[in-house]
Amino acid sequence: MSPRLLAAVVCLAACNQVFALEPTISTDAQTVDIDLDNDSIADALDNCIDAANTSQTDEDGDGRGDACDNCPLIANFDQADIGDGDQIGDACDPHPLGPADCLVLFDSFTAPDPFAQRWQLEPPTTTRVTATEGSITIDAIGVTAGIFSQEVSSDGDMQVKARVLASSISISVAAIGRGAVSTGYRCILNRVASGYISNLQIFDGVNGAQSALNPLVPEPVGDHVFLRVTSQLDVAHVPMCRVDYGGAVGAGSFGSTVQIPTGRFGVLVGQSSVELQAIAVYRPSPGTCPTTMN
Ligand SMILES: [Ca+2]
Ligand SMILES: [Ca+2]
Ligand SMILES: [Ca+2]
Ligand SMILES: [Ca+2]
């Protein structure tokens, strides 16, 4: 064997070790990191393969990222949208059998900075609202305080995921007009200091507080509540309220037609401290849905 050939054989045996090279000769497609939406998350790991979402946030923990989840606040693993095919999942669709709806506002409060652009404080000068990464805390011990959206719809459905921090609570999900918060309508969840839900009230600017909705079975409340107010198009704008807490659900509708406000939706808290984790607002969809704020 010539000296040159001997050197080549030795190198073939040892060069990979000398240069710490890995034997990576493969063009197999399975070894290539495909990233269709170019968000730096490989499709094999991406919870939205066709929507750029580097943050991968998944508010409801159902494996679908918020950016592509057809119900971002409700775990719906099957993503079923059988009723009307409007891309709003059956589990959260204000009108699951039609007409079509749009998601016009979704905020999981991942960034404090845009908060001031999307939400107004109530009252405007309150210091009881604190925006942090991932949540909004409303400290309303001794006062009433809250947040309201910019105008997003003249009719719609608001869904709120919250965590109660204090033992007593009055939390409202509301749709209001441009004027005072007494306009429009509210669904009010009351909880007494013993830690039991007392009732779910409805309130509108014309009739004031109405009787409690369907009686709620008293039971200890978990840390989390899910509140929802819906204006039902199919029954002449009679709003509905719904609350899910622990293992129980309370729901009911207003007794009469309520004047539809101009389109701000919000949350008011009284005598309690509440952490808002995410809010979604839907509206009926004549035409193209706007870009969602999130
Ligand atoms: Ca993605
Ligand atoms: Ca999800
Ligand atoms: Ca979902
Ligand atoms: Ca739907």
Side-chain angles (χ1 to χ4, degrees):
M1 184 178 293
S2 69
R4 179 173 297 178
L5 181 57
L6 177 61
V9 170
V10 170
C11 188
L12 281 174
C15 281
N16 277 356
Q17 292 180 338
V18 170
F19 297 108
L21 299 176
E22 294 294 330
T24 55
I25 303 172
S26 174
T27 56
D28 187 336
Q30 292 182 339
T31 67
V32 177
D33 289 340
I34 300 173
D35 180 14
L36 289 175
D37 58 16
N38 199 32
D39 63 0
S40 79
I41 310 294
D43 286 1
L45 303 172
D46 196 339
N47 61 17
C48 290
I49 61 171
D50 54 3
N53 62 331
T54 306
S55 69
Q56 297 284 288
T57 54
D58 177 15
E59 185 66 36
D60 58 10
D62 64 1
R64 279 272 184 161
D66 296 337
C68 62
D69 191 333
N70 66 12
C71 288
L73 288 192
I74 296 177
N76 59 332
F77 297 92
D78 61 5
Q79 295 285 292
D81 179 21
I82 299 170
D84 58 5
D86 63 356
Q87 300 184 39
I88 306 299
D90 294 334
C92 62
D93 194 326
H95 312 97
L97 300 178
D101 293 274
C102 289
L103 175 63
V104 292
L105 188 159
F106 173 70
D107 200 337
S108 56
F109 308 117
T110 54
D113 289 345
F115 174 79
Q117 300 166 15
R118 297 171 184 162
W119 299 95
Q120 302 166 340
L121 303 183
E122 179 59 40
T125 57
T126 186
T127 58
R128 301 302 188 99
V129 177
T130 306
T132 55
E133 183 175 344
S135 66
I136 299 296
T137 299
I138 302 175
D139 173 11
I141 301 295
V143 297
T144 296
I147 61 170
F148 281 88
S149 69
Q150 309 289 349
E151 190 165 327
V152 294
S153 172
S154 60
D155 193 6
D157 177 293
M158 181 171 68
Q159 301 171 15
V160 177
K161 182 179 172 186
R163 191 163 70 97
V164 178
L165 304 177
S167 59
S168 62
I169 177 178
S170 169
I171 178 171
S172 306
V173 289
I176 64 170
R178 289 194 181 88
V181 295
S182 59
T183 63
Y185 49 85
R186 279 188 267 165
C187 300
I188 308 170
L189 175 66
N190 296 302
R191 178 183 171 196
V192 297
S194 63
Y196 288 75
I197 291 287
S198 57
N199 59 54
L200 180 63
Q201 287 182 306
I202 54 180
F203 175 96
D204 73 73
V206 176
N207 300 307
Q210 299 184 33
S211 59
L213 302 176
N214 297 342
L216 300 175
V217 177
E219 70 169 50
V221 183
D223 277 342
H224 294 85
V225 291
F226 184 83
L227 289 160
R228 182 171 179 177
V229 58
T230 303
S231 175
Q232 289 185 295
L233 291 177
D234 50 345
V235 286
H237 300 293
V238 176
M240 286 192 67
C241 299
R242 177 185 171 97
V243 56
D244 298 0
Y245 58 96
V249 174
S253 62
F254 283 57
S256 59
T257 299
V258 176
Q259 182 180 8
I260 300 301
T262 54
R264 293 196 290 149
F265 290 83
V267 177
L268 279 176
V269 178
Q271 306 302 326
S272 185
S273 179
V274 171
E275 177 187 274
L276 302 182
Q277 298 177 325
I279 295 177
V281 177
Y282 300 84
R283 71 152 170 77
S285 164
T288 305
C289 291
T291 301
T292 307
M293 295 189 295
N294 60 24

